[in-house]
Amino acid sequence: METELSRQLGIEHAIFGFTPFPAVAAALSRAGGLGVLGAVRYTAPEDLKRDLDWMQDHTDGMPYGLDVVMPAKKVEGVTEADVEAMIPEGHRRFVADTLARHGVPDLAEGEASGWRITGWMEEVARNQLDVAFGYPVKLLANALGPPPADVVARAHDQGILVAALAGSAKHARRHAEAGIDVVVAQGYEAGGHTGEIASMVLTPEVVDAVAPVPVLAAGGIGSGEQIAAALALGAQGVWLGSLWLTATEASLGSHALTEKLLAAGSGDTVRSRALTGKPARQLRTAWTDAWDDPAGPGTLPMPLQGLLVAEAVSRIQRYEVGPLLGTPVGQIVGRMNCERSVREVFDDLTRGFERAVDRINRIAGRSAP
């Protein structure tokens, strides 16, 4: 699964694996792909430094990347406290009432509520980058389009390729005009923040829109055959995220959540603003239903919604409250029906890719080499 982009990055296979777990990212790089560590949960720079140190020691010298979430336009002087003050009291009551209705206990006195979802605030993301630029990161990806121009320039000065996610050809063109090196065409099926155009339509549209900028296909991809299809559509690789959530190296911290993922079908996800304020595909739960109910107050824009629900999500996860328990995940969850190591998943992807290539060769009347 070599492409021009994979050769440029020095990886064996054009598989880019996004994950919040360092152990998964390192395993992906060791397997011959590019592990991309999600930074959004690292509110303290020293925590990111700790895990990047660990990555350095466990990637066997293979390349890896980092994914941040920051707006393209720089905003000065806005603190987390400023944003917190914008949250209406009625929304806070709605959260409290929803948790009470499902019997979610309070955290113990003095117990931390877990990491807060503030990584998309510019101040936090810039602190993450100050740490990351001290490591041999090969790819910097941003989930909200191109990072600010000074960040792109700083990455290029250090020889780091910059990638940005796009949900339409129009957005992809803007990314290319901003100097982005790689566009990730993320289809409707994908987990997390995603647009409304399906991958089969979106990928070739983006490839044509930004040529010769390389494109990665994302959304609904979980087999080698689908990787072959993505490359046939003009992509130079694939961006996979949801598939690694049930890897044995993953650290979801909840057996109940893992079981929900393994039992879910492809129809058990929903695009909801309940987690962040932007449409994000996730498991459908009583929590997403409550926020999507017209009788409720409705969600707040990013980053207000993420700050509002951060402690609630921590409590739901801490006590494994089944009806409310969920996570961002794509429609590919229907294929995620057993726990496997990253290496086992990777081997299955490469075998499926070979089968697809052999099948096309037979259709075309050519023997496999």
Side-chain angles (χ1 to χ4, degrees):
M1 283 183 276
E2 274 194 358
T3 65
E4 183 179 346
L5 180 60
S6 68
R7 288 189 290 271
Q8 182 180 357
L9 287 166
I11 59 177
E12 182 180 1
H13 300 295
I15 296 176
F16 297 70
F18 164 78
T19 175
F21 307 119
V24 175
L28 281 160
S29 290
R30 293 196 305 269
L34 189 82
V36 181
L37 179 65
V40 71
R41 69 191 181 97
Y42 293 98
T43 56
E46 58 269 23
D47 291 340
L48 178 59
K49 184 180 187 305
R50 178 201 64 216
D51 283 356
L52 288 178
D53 283 340
W54 188 93
M55 291 274 293
Q56 280 291 104
D57 293 337
H58 292 83
T59 48
D60 295 344
M62 303 305 292
Y64 59 89
L66 189 76
D67 179 274
V68 297
V69 183
M70 64 188 307
K73 294 183 179 179
K74 189 173 182 179
V75 179
E76 301 282 3
V78 178
T79 68
E80 183 177 333
D82 294 332
V83 178
E84 283 268 17
M86 301 177 190
I87 298 175
E89 187 58 35
H91 282 73
R92 295 187 188 277
R93 286 197 302 271
F94 179 77
V95 169
D97 291 346
T98 302
L99 295 177
R101 190 161 58 250
H102 289 273
V104 182
D106 291 329
L107 295 175
E109 185 176 351
E111 182 178 355
S113 64
W115 58 272
R116 290 171 64 77
I117 310 172
T118 57
W120 45 69
M121 296 183 66
E122 182 166 332
E123 179 184 356
V124 176
R126 285 186 176 273
N127 288 337
Q128 294 167 351
L129 291 173
D130 286 340
V131 172
F133 284 135
Y135 292 81
V137 172
K138 295 297 183 183
L139 180 76
L140 174 65
N142 186 33
L144 291 182
D150 67 297
V151 173
V152 175
R154 187 178 177 189
H156 286 167
D157 286 345
Q158 296 192 208
I160 300 172
L161 296 183
V162 181
L165 276 65
S168 71
K170 180 175 70 173
H171 292 157
R173 289 190 193 95
R174 291 176 183 168
H175 297 355
E177 291 166 358
I180 296 303
D181 306 291
V182 181
V183 174
V184 181
Q186 179 158 287
Y188 172 82
E189 309 95 325
H193 297 128
T194 187
E196 300 181 352
I197 305 174
S199 299
M200 184 64 76
V201 175
L202 180 65
T203 301
E205 283 187 352
V206 172
V207 168
D208 290 343
V210 302
V213 175
V215 172
L216 300 177
I221 300 173
S223 72
E225 289 84 353
Q226 290 170 309
I227 295 174
L231 299 189
L233 293 172
Q236 287 203 31
V238 293
W239 178 273
L240 310 181
S242 298
L243 193 62
W244 316 112
L245 289 173
T246 52
T248 54
E249 296 91 342
S251 305
L252 284 177
S254 168
H255 178 72
L257 180 54
T258 298
E259 290 300 311
K260 286 190 78 169
L261 288 168
L262 295 175
S266 57
D268 292 328
T269 69
V270 62
R271 286 174 75 244
S272 171
R273 299 177 185 267
L275 185 61
T276 70
K278 282 184 175 291
R281 185 171 296 284
Q282 54 202 281
L283 282 179
R284 181 176 181 178
T285 66
W287 180 255
T288 62
D289 286 347
W291 282 104
D292 295 338
D293 188 339
T299 55
L300 298 170
M302 179 187 277
L304 299 181
Q305 183 72 14
L307 289 172
L308 169 65
V309 305
E311 182 177 334
V313 171
S314 292
R315 288 166 59 186
I316 291 165
Q317 293 174 346
R318 168 70 174 81
Y319 297 108
E320 296 190 325
V321 183
L324 302 178
L325 191 61
T327 185
V329 69
Q331 291 180 331
I332 199 63
V333 69
R335 293 183 65 94
M336 296 156 51
N337 49 26
C338 66
E339 293 184 78
R340 297 182 293 169
S341 69
V342 168
R343 171 60 73 175
E344 288 175 310
V345 175
F346 218 91
D347 288 345
D348 185 55
L349 293 174
T350 56
R351 285 193 297 267
F353 180 83
E354 291 169 355
R355 288 194 299 269
V357 172
D358 288 346
R359 186 180 303 123
I360 294 301
N361 279 330
R362 288 195 301 272
I363 292 170
R366 296 189 298 267
S367 298

